[in-house]
Amino acid sequence: MNWWKNSVIYQIYPRSFQDSNGDGIGDIPGIISHLDYLEKLGVDVIWLGPVYRSPGDDNGYDISDYQAINPEFGTMEDLDNLINEAKKRNIGIIMDLVVNHTSDEHEWFLEAKKGKDNPYRDYYIWRDPVEGGVPNDMKSTFSGPAWEFDEASGQYYLHLYSKKQPDLNWENEEMRNKIYEMMTFWLEKGIAGFRMDVIDHIGKVPDEKIITNGPKLHDYIQEMNHRSFGNYDVMTVGETWSATPADAPLYSDPLRKELSMVFQFEHIGLDEQPGKSKWDLKPLNIIDLKKTLTKWQTEIGENSWNSLFWNNHDTPRIVSRWGNDNEYRVESAKLFAILLHLMKGTPYIYQGEEIGMTNLELSDISQARDIETINMYHDRLGSGYDEAAIFESLNAKSRDNARTPMQWKDTKNAGFTTNEPWIPANPNHETVNVANALEDPNSVFYTYQKLIQLRKQNLLIVHGNYTLLLPDHETIFAYEREYEGEKWVVVANLSDFEARLDLKTTPTETIISNYNKTYDHLAGIKLEPYEAFAVKVLS
């Protein structure tokens, strides 16, 4: 069995994890100082956010040198030390890698701008003006056109994100070879694999306005596998916002020799108005959530593999988003853990999720740090939107929600730094912090720790079949896992209200409960708000 199938991944956003030198920015030595904490939690792999040299226009996802460490995070020696110290604790490091675009300060792009005849020109995507303007109406994810005019050459270059993030031209074989050489450089250091940022964009065909799932996409990924990570015992996960259960196997079926798994985001859009942006909110429908996650549990095929996540550096805190981060913060944080970690797939924990960290409410745009957030604010304000409505959307969905400092202690700046942090700490760090969590045997932390242990001890979680129960119930999410004659039932009440559970009267044995209850049957049970549990069916 592939080792990553029963692993649990912990994502670190380096800028916000731990500052070791008092400059207000998290760094690699800071991560090393908390490896014992992660070992105690029980995770197998750290997904390390970008630490490459970068001007920081998009918090490190604009890379100016793939084989150098950004000085604000430390040195290459620090990175080598992190890899080695993590290995001592049986923890692997997967690097977050962006090969769809670079920074406009990357050496390749600086050369490319020198003229149309420069050998690096074709590493990027350039087009002549059309009728004196942009080549077409493609839009940037960060607002505005996806084309930026270069006055020196009279051409436009493509940037699907910030104008400081020009897109690479994957049709250029020489460029691809350099990417594979760079990936091998990191693999030779002993990393455990890669998280591939927006990998479904690399086959784009801009002249036809095809951004995802271009005709050569899978050719490129198969070539990448053959030329780099396919020669190592590592895991790879692709960020694929466009993936469906039908095409996910194209990426993750091992016979195709592409990736280990993909991130799918269908459930992430369920609280957005259809056909509009992520900022246009609507209440979550629990029946839709059940249908969506069940589809990904049952329709991707036996040979493919799924990733399981609620949060990451681009999404708000799940306990604030779909739970109750006030009266039932602990209960709902545990509920989302139990619901997700007992499904089939590889679970991902985002830093602070394991202690129930919450969103941070913005009241002024000066508090924001994320380029997407700032651009959206000014774009919508200029379009006549009500400012209060703008902040309602930002406080629900801004990426800054996930990027506030990790809350270690109840001291100033949450124990993250001795100086002014690059982004303010959430004021609730005085109660929601690691120190308190470790002292409380009933904390969210120990629920995550137990779920990780259960995964390591029970093949049912890794391999068992999944069956949705009560598909039409408006608040109860319940499912069954079955493997080699053993059967578990997982139940969660995703609401602020009591609910009644009526399933078979078969005797059961409690495995885990966020209310510390025991359940010897599943018939006629009154569920408390955000109550969640798992039981083993005895007969």
Side-chain angles (χ1 to χ4, degrees):
M1 182 177 72
N2 298 107
W3 59 265
W4 35 264
K5 286 191 173 182
N6 65 349
S7 296
V8 176
I9 319 298
Y10 188 92
Q11 184 189 357
I12 287 180
Y13 192 71
R15 198 174 181 84
S16 300
F17 194 66
Q18 179 67 67
D19 171 24
S20 71
N21 60 4
D23 64 358
I25 297 170
D27 48 44
I28 297 169
I31 297 170
I32 295 171
S33 72
H34 288 297
L35 287 175
D36 288 344
Y37 166 75
L38 297 179
E39 183 180 28
K40 181 179 179 68
L41 180 59
V43 298
D44 305 279
V45 178
I46 292 170
W47 157 14
L48 182 67
V51 292
Y52 316 96
R53 191 178 295 275
S54 166
D57 185 61
D58 187 23
N59 283 316
Y61 286 87
D62 50 320
I63 300 170
S64 57
D65 189 337
Y66 284 107
Q67 292 176 220
I69 301 299
N70 192 328
E72 69 182 15
F73 295 133
T75 65
M76 188 64 79
E77 184 180 359
D78 291 328
L79 195 281
D80 290 336
N81 192 21
L82 171 61
I83 294 169
N84 292 330
E85 287 299 318
K87 278 184 179 176
K88 291 177 184 176
R89 296 162 176 83
N90 295 313
I91 297 174
I93 303 291
I94 67 169
M95 302 289 286
D96 203 334
L97 186 62
V98 191
V99 296
N100 175 70
H101 50 262
T102 69
S103 165
D104 66 345
E105 297 181 31
H106 193 288
E107 178 187 10
W108 296 348
F109 193 71
L110 295 176
E111 286 292 321
K113 286 184 72 175
K114 289 181 179 179
K116 296 179 181 179
D117 296 329
N118 189 283
Y120 288 92
R121 184 75 170 187
D122 194 45
Y123 277 34
Y124 297 88
I125 297 170
W126 302 85
R127 295 293 184 269
D128 292 324
V130 173
E131 297 180 357
V134 293
N136 59 34
D137 62 357
M138 290 174 67
K139 298 295 182 184
S140 162
T141 299
F142 293 161
S143 302
W147 298 97
E148 182 70 12
F149 189 62
D150 173 53
E151 290 194 10
S153 65
Q155 285 189 314
Y156 287 87
Y157 66 84
L158 181 71
H159 61 93
L160 293 179
Y161 294 90
S162 161
K163 66 182 181 181
K164 289 184 65 63
Q165 293 170 288
D167 279 58
L168 288 165
N169 175 21
W170 271 76
E171 292 190 0
N172 185 302
E173 183 179 6
E174 183 179 291
M175 186 281 297
R176 298 200 308 271
N177 289 339
K178 290 195 175 183
I179 291 290
Y180 306 149
E181 290 170 8
M182 172 271 295
M183 294 174 72
T184 300
F185 165 84
W186 288 108
L187 291 161
E188 284 296 307
K189 282 184 172 291
I191 65 169
F194 295 105
R195 178 263 184 184
M196 307 297 296
D197 188 71
V198 294
I199 194 64
D200 55 349
H201 285 13
I202 64 172
K204 70 182 76 65
V205 185
D207 298 326
E208 299 176 26
K209 295 191 281 191
I210 296 173
I211 295 174
T212 56
N213 298 320
K216 294 183 180 178
L217 171 65
H218 293 285
D219 293 339
Y220 294 149
I221 299 176
Q222 288 171 4
E223 182 182 71
M224 182 188 298
N225 178 307
H226 176 70
R227 296 284 303 280
S228 61
F229 54 77
N231 302 306
Y232 299 80
D233 183 20
V234 297
M235 64 162 281
T236 49
V237 54
E239 182 190 29
T240 56
W241 284 83
S242 64
T244 67
D247 61 28
L250 297 178
Y251 296 96
S252 59
D253 186 329
L255 295 177
R256 290 179 54 80
K257 297 186 184 302
E258 293 194 21
L259 305 175
S260 307
M261 68 190 88
V262 295
F263 284 125
Q264 58 82 17
F265 296 88
E266 190 174 352
H267 63 301
I268 293 300
L270 292 176
D271 55 4
E272 300 166 11
Q273 295 179 33
K276 295 190 177 181
S277 80
K278 79 175 192 178
W279 308 110
D280 299 299
L281 311 176
K282 73 166 189 173
L284 174 69
N285 182 301
I286 302 303
I287 293 175
D288 288 343
L289 178 66
K290 293 192 285 188
K291 287 179 179 176
T292 301
L293 292 181
T294 297
K295 180 168 62 175
W296 281 92
Q297 286 289 296
T298 59
E299 293 184 12
I300 65 171
E302 285 298 312
N303 292 330
S304 297
W305 197 248
N306 196 22
S307 60
L308 305 170
F309 76 99
W310 294 122
N311 311 266
N312 62 32
H313 63 289
D314 284 335
T315 61
R317 297 284 180 180
I318 195 62
V319 71
S320 297
R321 184 175 190 172
W322 292 341
N324 180 324
D325 62 6
N326 291 305
E327 184 180 1
Y328 298 108
R329 183 189 66 84
V330 170
E331 291 82 2
S332 52
K334 291 180 179 181
L335 175 147
F336 285 110
I338 292 169
L339 190 60
L340 193 79
H341 280 248
L342 297 180
M343 289 185 179
K344 186 175 184 177
T346 296
Y348 290 73
I349 300 169
Y350 181 69
Q351 63 183 48
E353 180 183 342
E354 79 281 7
I355 59 169
M357 280 178 60
T358 66
N359 284 355
L360 172 67
E361 188 166 332
L362 300 174
S363 57
D364 190 280
I365 197 61
S366 64
Q367 298 169 300
R369 298 293 182 270
D370 175 39
I371 183 173
E372 183 187 41
T373 294
I374 295 166
N375 286 355
M376 176 277 201
Y377 172 83
H378 291 294
D379 188 46
R380 292 209 161 184
L381 200 63
S383 298
Y385 280 74
D386 177 68
E387 188 173 32
I390 295 173
F391 274 109
E392 181 183 359
S393 294
L394 289 179
N395 287 326
K397 292 290 191 73
S398 170
R399 301 194 302 182
D400 280 337
N401 284 312
R403 300 177 181 185
T404 56
M406 181 69 181
Q407 295 166 205
W408 297 105
K409 304 174 184 176
D410 62 3
T411 54
K412 186 178 180 181
N413 299 322
F416 165 71
T417 182
T418 56
N419 207 326
E420 193 70 23
W422 74 276
I423 188 172
N426 193 316
N428 70 7
H429 73 268
E430 293 181 0
T431 53
V432 182
N433 59 66
V434 169
N436 285 351
L438 293 179
E439 290 178 3
D440 178 6
N442 292 314
S443 70
V444 179
F445 176 91
Y446 290 110
T447 293
Y448 274 89
Q449 184 190 63
K450 182 171 183 177
L451 288 164
I452 293 169
Q453 291 169 350
L454 285 171
R455 176 168 289 269
K456 296 183 189 307
Q457 296 163 1
N458 295 275
L459 290 175
L460 175 145
I461 301 176
V462 181
H463 298 294
N465 294 325
Y466 168 103
T467 304
L468 180 67
L469 306 174
L470 306 175
D472 299 319
H473 198 288
E474 293 184 353
T475 66
I476 296 177
F477 194 151
Y479 60 86
E480 186 177 271
R481 300 294 309 278
E482 189 275 331
Y483 182 69
E484 293 186 346
E486 185 175 357
K487 187 179 294 183
W488 292 12
V489 174
V490 181
V491 175
N493 175 26
L494 281 87
S495 78
D496 293 314
F497 308 102
E498 293 178 354
R500 181 179 173 85
L501 177 71
D502 273 307
L503 291 172
K504 294 178 182 178
T505 57
T506 310
T508 58
E509 177 183 289
T510 306
I511 297 167
I512 190 168
S513 162
N514 69 341
Y515 271 79
N516 294 324
K517 292 183 180 180
T518 56
Y519 309 84
D520 55 14
H521 63 87
L522 297 177
I525 295 176
K526 183 186 77 172
L527 298 178
E528 302 293 337
Y530 296 100
E531 183 170 349
F533 63 85
V535 295
K536 180 179 179 179
V537 177
L538 297 180
S539 63

